[in-house]
Amino acid sequence: EAQVTQNPRYLITVTGKKLTVTCSQNMNHEYMSWYRQDPGLGLRQIYYSMNVEVTDKGDVPEGYKVSRKEKRNFPLILESPSPNQTSLYFCASSLLGVGETQYFGPGTRLLVL
Amino acid sequence: AQKVTQAQTEISVVEKEDVTLDCVYETRDTTYYLFWYKQPPSGELVFLIRRNSFDEQNEISGRYSWNFQKSTSSFNFTITASQVVDSAVYFCALSEGDYGQNFVFGPGTRLSVLP
């Protein structure tokens, strides 16, 4: 089954404790992206990657890191989480090109205390 | 400036009513795509439709229809004879850039369909 998976689905942590949210897709997509969803703001892009070893900042990259060492994986790293990073996070993937449909993972709900 | 505007934050209708969700976008690209996604209470994001900037034909899929008007930069979504299962947050999104790397969502409209 074609899918985007994220782990963990739920995470409670404390300020300053490094964490990684994993994202993996099995559709051989070149493009992958991370979003955060906050009430009233919709989804905002954090980082995206157009291929292995190619990443770029989205609209809200501060406080996040990503890496793309393999085509299928695109982990999101919070080196020192803060309460304002409490949010619902989505990973997405698609073929590369304008108009390609993005397919989303199930989401990771993060609470930073 | 917000590139995708969904002015209706929340809408409530009674089952079987028709409802239109508005989406207004802003772009300088001549080639772009517009999307609608549905987010039901379970939280996942479900793709509904994609429309490119060169195709202004309206589209109908069952009870759903979409009206794309470049002259007003709008891509509105209508649900006919709404049902309780249509209750969700609906997002309009814009894809632009040479490789579609700029994918911008609107803030969403929460639709509640009451029995």
Side-chain angles (χ1 to χ4, degrees):
Chain A
E1 181 190 353
Q3 60 183 351
V4 179
T5 57
Q6 295 178 228
N7 282 293
R9 295 288 313 279
Y10 303 93
L11 180 59
I12 301 174
T13 189
V14 295
T15 299
K17 187 175 182 182
K18 180 180 179 179
L19 66 92
T20 299
V21 184
T22 65
C23 173
S24 183
Q25 50 94 5
N26 62 1
M27 295 171 277
N28 203 35
H29 286 163
E30 297 91 358
Y31 181 93
M32 296 186 75
S33 184
W34 276 102
Y35 298 86
R36 60 178 288 173
Q37 181 181 357
D38 302 290
L41 297 176
L43 282 82
R44 293 178 292 167
Q45 193 176 52
I46 303 171
Y47 270 95
Y48 64 89
S49 168
M50 292 196 284
N51 215 327
V52 175
E53 303 292 0
V54 180
T55 63
D56 211 342
K57 296 177 181 179
D59 295 323
V60 288
E62 294 77 22
Y64 304 95
K65 283 177 57 176
V66 293
S67 68
R68 187 91 182 271
K69 294 185 171 58
E70 304 166 282
K71 196 173 186 178
R72 63 183 291 125
N73 296 324
F74 190 45
L76 179 69
I77 303 157
L78 284 71
E79 295 266 1
S80 183
S82 63
N84 64 13
Q85 292 179 298
T86 292
S87 188
L88 177 59
Y89 291 87
F90 286 99
C91 179
S93 75
S94 72
L95 295 172
L96 188 63
V98 65
E100 294 296 337
T101 300
Q102 292 201 29
Y103 295 94
F104 286 82
T108 295
R109 192 168 290 279
L110 172 65
L111 173 61
V112 183
L113 301 173
Chain B
Q2 192 167 33
K3 289 192 169 186
V4 180
T5 303
Q6 295 178 256
Q8 305 145 310
T9 305
E10 294 191 33
I11 301 175
S12 287
V13 298
V14 177
E15 207 169 18
K16 298 184 183 176
E17 285 185 8
D18 299 348
V19 58
T20 295
L21 310 183
D22 297 333
C23 173
V24 174
Y25 63 92
E26 178 186 329
T27 180
R28 293 180 180 176
D29 289 4
T30 54
T31 301
Y32 54 90
Y33 280 73
L34 296 161
F35 297 78
W36 278 94
Y37 283 83
K38 174 182 180 180
Q39 187 178 43
S42 50
E44 73 271 23
L45 285 158
V46 179
F47 165 73
L48 294 178
I49 190 171
R50 173 183 68 181
R51 172 65 76 220
N52 77 55
S53 52
F54 299 106
D55 182 1
E56 287 193 72
Q57 279 197 340
N58 292 335
E59 180 151 345
I60 297 174
S61 176
R63 296 183 297 105
Y64 295 171
S65 63
W66 290 269
N67 179 265
F68 176 32
Q69 291 194 341
K70 284 179 77 170
S71 60
T72 55
S73 297
S74 65
F75 186 44
N76 297 336
F77 172 30
T78 297
I79 302 175
T80 303
S82 59
Q83 300 176 2
V84 173
V85 293
D86 296 326
S87 296
V89 181
Y90 291 86
F91 292 100
C92 181
L94 166 70
S95 172
E96 55 180 2
D98 293 339
Y99 302 99
Q101 67 271 27
N102 299 320
F103 205 93
V104 180
F105 282 83
T109 296
R110 181 178 297 278
L111 174 66
S112 299
V113 181
L114 307 173

